[in-house]
Amino acid sequence: MTPEQLAAQLRCPSGDDGAQVADNMNQHNQPIIAASYQALTPSDGDHIVEIGPGTAGHLPDLLAMADDLHYTGLDLSQDMVAQAQQHHGHLERVHFVAGDLHDAPLPPNSADHVVAINVVYFWNPLLPALNAIRKLLRPGGQLCLGLRDRNSMATLPVFRHGFLTYNGPDLQQALKTAGFVDVRQQIIPEQSINVMGQVMHKTGLVITALNPEVKP
């Protein structure tokens, strides 16, 4: 695949190439996925919405964090939804739906937590996407964004095709502008082999924020 083709598959995986990209993402993104899930701190019975889960390869780790969790995976890719359902359809209280964040087929104020890992790059413009997430979250609900920082993504041609990158403080400020409160950042140092077979020293970021209890 060319860098442009790979970028398109990372945004919305499809077909055989998309399946391979999804498998690679499950493997190479493990540190940032684990750190993002740990930041959620769910309580028993909570409803978690994950945006762009792909095949949700690490879902069992998330479900083990509390009892009776309800999980919904929202993905742009019909192919990823079908594969995720094939892998995890036997699990109770787990659902996958195809759709766009801006027109999500989910009830407003229904999520205790929203998590999105390595997908914030595609939210252009950013503010409407953050507003859509606030609509999904209950008052006091938590958003968790997992991503690589701008410097970690600067060396590969694939990230020059439709990716918005962040250095951390800029994304924190955007969350505050969107009305989120208690915005916090955790830095995750990583060393891994990327989807193109190159060793990378990267900086992962996990940024959490709360939907205010009372709208300003």
Side-chain angles (χ1 to χ4, degrees):
M1 281 184 283
T2 67
E4 189 171 7
Q5 289 170 331
L6 178 56
Q9 288 290 357
L10 289 169
R11 178 182 179 87
C12 186
S14 62
D16 292 339
D17 285 342
Q20 184 60 55
V21 166
D23 288 343
N24 287 338
M25 287 191 291
N26 284 331
Q27 178 182 353
H28 300 306
N29 291 337
Q30 193 278 332
I32 194 69
I33 292 171
S36 299
Y37 282 175
Q38 287 296 324
L40 288 176
T41 61
S43 300
D44 293 351
D46 277 358
H47 179 203
I48 298 172
V49 172
E50 183 165 8
I51 301 169
T55 59
H58 299 272
L59 180 57
D61 297 334
L62 177 59
L63 297 179
M65 295 177 64
D67 293 331
D68 300 323
L69 290 178
H70 297 253
Y71 173 94
T72 301
L74 174 69
D75 205 288
L76 274 174
S77 170
Q78 293 274 4
D79 288 356
M80 292 299 98
V81 168
Q83 290 189 41
Q85 289 174 332
Q86 182 178 359
H87 293 318
H88 305 296
H90 63 287
L91 298 174
E92 296 183 5
R93 297 177 293 277
V94 169
H95 302 90
F96 294 92
V97 293
D100 187 281
L101 171 61
H102 297 283
D103 190 27
L106 302 173
N109 303 319
S110 62
D112 298 289
H113 308 268
V114 171
V115 58
I117 303 169
N118 285 335
V119 295
V120 66
Y121 322 118
F122 305 113
W123 297 343
N124 186 13
L126 176 62
L127 189 58
L130 297 179
N131 289 336
I133 290 172
R134 282 197 62 193
K135 291 179 182 179
L136 289 177
L137 280 168
R138 65 166 177 79
Q142 180 194 40
L143 168 63
C144 178
L145 299 176
L147 65 151
R148 292 334 180 327
D149 74 355
R150 180 176 292 123
N151 289 337
S152 297
M153 301 175 68
T155 58
L156 290 180
V158 62
F159 299 127
R160 300 169 193 161
H161 298 277
F163 285 72
L164 296 180
T165 59
Y166 301 93
N167 60 20
D170 50 358
L171 185 53
Q172 293 180 67
Q173 183 56 53
L175 287 162
K176 294 174 184 177
T177 300
F180 286 91
V181 298
D182 195 21
V183 180
R184 305 185 184 190
Q185 176 177 292
Q186 179 184 2
I187 297 175
I188 313 296
E190 297 181 61
Q191 177 177 319
S192 66
I193 300 175
N194 63 34
V195 294
M196 300 179 72
Q198 299 169 306
V199 176
M200 292 188 68
H201 298 275
K202 299 172 289 189
T203 300
L205 303 175
V206 175
I207 298 178
T208 58
L210 297 180
N211 192 27
E213 293 280 357
V214 178
K215 291 186 178 180

